[in-house]
Amino acid sequence: MKKTIIAAAAIAALGAMSATAQVVEQPKFSDNWSIGIDGGVTTPMKQNPFFGSMRGQVGVHFGKQLTPVFGLGVEGLAAVNTSSWKGRVHSTTAFDNSYVGLYGTADLFNLFGGYQCKVRPFNIEAVLGAGWGHDYFHDNIDGVEDFNYFVTKAGLNFNFNVNDNFTIAIKPYVAWNMGGNYNNGNVAYNINHATFNLMAGVKYRFGDYFPCVRPYDQAEVDALNGQINELRGALDASVAANDALMAQSATLAADLAACQNQKPKVVKEVTNNLSSVRFVFFRIGSYKITADQMPNLEMIADYMKNHPKSTVVVKGYASKDGNYDFNVKLAKNRAEAVKNALVSKYKIAASRITAEGEGIGEMFEEESWNRVSICTLESNK
């Protein structure tokens, strides 16, 4: 008995160490209760034929898993009456004997291998139990009467876990009659007063198992809080930058609206110094210099050749006909056309020529005359 107590204490200590190595969340009180039924055979270990004395046995059990390692339960067993078949001293009921007791279990896989935060597909439990045994006999048969006795048991449960809640088990164990019978005195742990039992059972466990939680780490929490604060600062900066861009966008939108509502600028240039001004006229919608305008261009080129330090400012214009934006571009192209002709045809240096588009002109009452490039010569003597 002392050896059994020492062994149980050692298992309890190891189980406590294994359980504390895991950070396991405590389940609800209603979790990890189980109920099951068992069926199998029982036979004496000695003094009787092992197989010849074998009889059927049925039972039920109700338990509670306290930790991933340890569990407690209560069970009831009854051996089927087969003694009457062979003319032996027997019970008049359907059962020869019964047992009711408490048991404790230790999951050896979780005890020595550590809890893996889930139900294993297969595990082995060590089982220790103790309780009340009772043999049933007919009164006044050979002077034998019913009697009670103290029983202890030890064995293993080989559990095949179909899922987290349903288990099929094979349960071999040995049960000892600790008090004897027929006035035989104390026979504790005597193999002659022990039975071998082999049971198979099914069990259903209610609720959740033992979920694991991650341990609290203050340093990690502080680091995460620091990252959160950095992200908040970056977000605030982004919001401020976005507000500034929105304000700038609003200003640009207002400027654009003002430009769109502005009346087109019309340049009106009047000059009385006709000796220094020459005109190159263009057809409507065109910036090609026609043959009839070439004499005007030649006059400009001759003047600049005769006056090597002279320069010319060419300002292109368009009439009001057509699209405004097109006319603005057309005016610039007319100025460039005069400059390009002076450079390519008459070999005047480009640095001496300034070409500018002035948009729509109103210098002349005759609208077609406003399709012109006005060339102003500077002698620079």
Side-chain angles (χ1 to χ4, degrees), residues 153-191:
K153 59 177 287 189
L156 296 172
N157 291 344
F158 297 90
N159 297 322
F160 300 88
N161 300 302
V162 179
N163 54 42
D164 288 353
N165 301 97
F166 187 73
T167 299
I168 299 173
I170 304 297
K171 304 177 177 181
Y173 68 91
V174 176
W176 289 272
N177 181 339
M178 304 296 288
N181 53 6
Y182 309 113
N183 300 316
N184 287 334
N186 185 4
V187 291
Y189 298 107
N190 187 328
I191 194 171

Side-chain angles (χ1 to χ4, degrees), residues 341-358:
L342 290 173
V343 172
S344 61
K345 185 175 179 62
Y346 299 102
K347 310 305 179 184
I348 305 299
S351 60
R352 299 172 63 191
I353 307 167
T354 301
E356 300 173 350
E358 294 295 323

Side-chain angles (χ1 to χ4, degrees), residues 324-354:
Y324 174 78
D325 292 334
F326 175 79
N327 286 335
V328 170
K329 186 182 296 185
L330 182 61
K332 179 175 178 59
N333 288 338
R334 286 171 173 168
E336 291 291 338
V338 172
K339 177 178 179 180
N340 292 337
L342 290 173
V343 172
S344 61
K345 185 175 179 62
Y346 299 102
K347 310 305 179 184
I348 305 299
S351 60
R352 299 172 63 191
I353 307 167
T354 301

Side-chain angles (χ1 to χ4, degrees), residues 33 85 91 192 242 310 337:
W33 293 92
W85 302 353
S91 167
N192 294 314
N242 182 68
S310 64

